[in-house]
Amino acid sequence: MTMNTTATPRFPGDVIDHLADITPGSALDRVRRHRSEARTQAQQSFAALFTPAEPVPGTVSLRERLALAAFTAGLHGEPRSAVFYTRALATEDAELAAVVASEVVRGRAQSLQAGSGPHGPYGPYGSYPAGPLSREDQPGPAYAVDPAHAALLGPRLAAALAHAHLLAYHPRDASAGALQALQQAGWSETDIVILSQLASFLSFQIRVVAGLRVLAARPAPQAAHQPTTLQAQP
């Protein structure tokens, strides 16, 4: 089966530039030009995930891709990215966008403690396989969608959001059982690869955008003082 899509939304020519407010010729534009290949590959990765060329493998629809992206961006707490993907989802399904935004609030609240999660000082929680790292195990909740939203989300998206929460907040708990839950919800092996690629790419993109916005917020370096001319000694 191939991905069932509607009209493709109009995305910016470079999504990272858009999210980081980078304008042509700016200092950050020059920074990114030094890594032109990485810049191109990042945009190509976005295009492969959100505007894939036919024939598209798997059955992950654009609606499902945007829902997962909006949820993942929300979990990571990068506001520009979260708004970007939520608005894109709203153009496909406004009701679903509102539900996903509500699930982001629940997903972030269901963390170990304030500050835990992808970028918090406490880091991800979960359990490692039995061994030396077990001393770092931290218990934490497994996320599940609000039962009131289950009908609209359907089993596929409900399972995908739970998987995205696992990868963002407690990747230590990733297991064969977690993948089986996706298969039981109707995702194929190809679909599961795509879902994982989406989560991985969003994590990368969000970190890059956050870093660039930190750089943009730094004050411009002061011009170096010109050396004073030494006076001739009498």
Side-chain angles (χ1 to χ4, degrees):
M1 297 178 64
T2 57
M3 184 179 74
N4 181 24
T5 62
T6 56
T8 303
R10 291 186 177 180
F11 293 116
D14 190 300
V15 174
I16 289 178
D17 280 1
H18 172 76
L19 294 175
D21 283 331
I22 296 176
T23 55
S26 65
L28 286 184
D29 181 42
R30 293 192 293 272
V31 168
R32 294 205 73 201
R33 285 183 184 180
H34 284 300
R35 299 289 303 278
S36 59
E37 184 175 350
R39 189 181 203 175
T40 298
Q41 289 176 348
Q43 183 59 26
Q44 288 175 341
S45 295
F46 173 87
L49 290 168
F50 293 99
T51 59
E54 296 287 348
V56 181
T59 65
V60 190
S61 69
L62 177 61
R63 173 180 177 272
E64 290 168 329
R65 291 169 190 246
L66 291 173
L68 187 63
F71 183 70
T72 300
L75 292 182
H76 281 267
E78 205 294 298
R80 285 293 300 271
S81 299
V83 169
F84 173 79
Y85 288 107
T86 299
R87 286 178 175 172
L89 175 59
T91 65
E92 295 286 310
D93 189 328
E95 185 178 9
L96 178 59
V99 166
V100 169
S102 176
E103 289 298 325
V104 166
V105 175
R106 292 185 69 252
R108 287 177 62 84
Q110 290 182 3
S111 58
L112 179 64
Q113 53 187 311
S116 66
H119 309 301
Y122 303 106
Y125 57 83
S127 300
Y128 288 106
L133 291 176
S134 295
R135 65 178 180 273
E136 298 183 17
D137 290 354
Q138 294 187 65
Y143 161 85
V145 302
D146 187 336
H149 297 152
L152 176 66
L153 291 169
R156 279 167 58 100
L157 268 180
L161 297 191
H163 187 65
H165 186 276
L166 181 151
L167 294 178
Y169 278 89
H170 52 122
R172 301 173 188 176
D173 294 330
S175 64
L179 297 180
Q180 186 176 15
L182 290 172
Q183 290 179 321
Q184 291 174 342
W187 298 105
S188 70
E189 290 184 2
T190 299
D191 295 336
I192 293 171
V193 170
I194 294 170
L195 297 180
S196 298
Q197 288 174 333
L198 279 163
S200 177
F201 173 75
L202 265 293
S203 177
F204 156 77
Q205 185 185 69
I206 288 164
R207 289 175 184 273
V208 171
V209 169
L212 289 170
R213 291 184 70 81
V214 168
L215 287 177
R218 289 182 177 179
Q222 297 295 320
H225 293 291
Q226 296 295 325
T228 57
T229 303
L230 293 176
Q231 298 293 325
Q233 296 296 323

